[in-house]
Amino acid sequence: MSIKCGINGEDLDESQIFLCHHCGMPVCELHGWIVAADDAFADSEPESSPAPRPAMHCRSCAERFHKTVAKRHGWAEPAAQP
């Protein structure tokens, strides 16, 4: 099945599409934004809450909810610079 990326409209296989975890917009890895430590998953009870974890975002939600944090395209961690 083919699904369009909500950012550039490109048809991609469903395995290449992710959903923005705020609004549900379908985005591809190339055009979506990853916030490496999204605290939206954190709970007020430290002993029961999962640690912040990476989450996919569309451009609008990345800007709206995570304006001041580091973001990147793609799930892979960037290579360390020597």
Side-chain angles (χ1 to χ4, degrees), residues 45-68:
E45 299 295 323
E47 52 275 353
S48 67
S49 68
R53 59 184 182 207
M56 180 65 78
H57 298 77
C58 70
R59 186 179 325 163
S60 297
C61 289
E63 181 66 21
R64 181 176 176 197
F65 297 106
H66 304 285
K67 191 174 195 142
T68 61

Side-chain angles (χ1 to χ4, degrees), residues 4 12 17 20 55 74-75:
K4 290 188 183 297
L12 296 166
I17 293 289
C20 170
W75 287 106

Side-chain angles (χ1 to χ4, degrees), residues 2-19:
S2 161
I3 300 174
K4 290 188 183 297
C5 172
I7 303 218
N8 72 341
E10 182 180 1
D11 281 321
L12 296 166
D13 185 70
E14 67 182 55
S15 66
Q16 296 174 294
I17 293 289
F18 303 91
L19 299 179

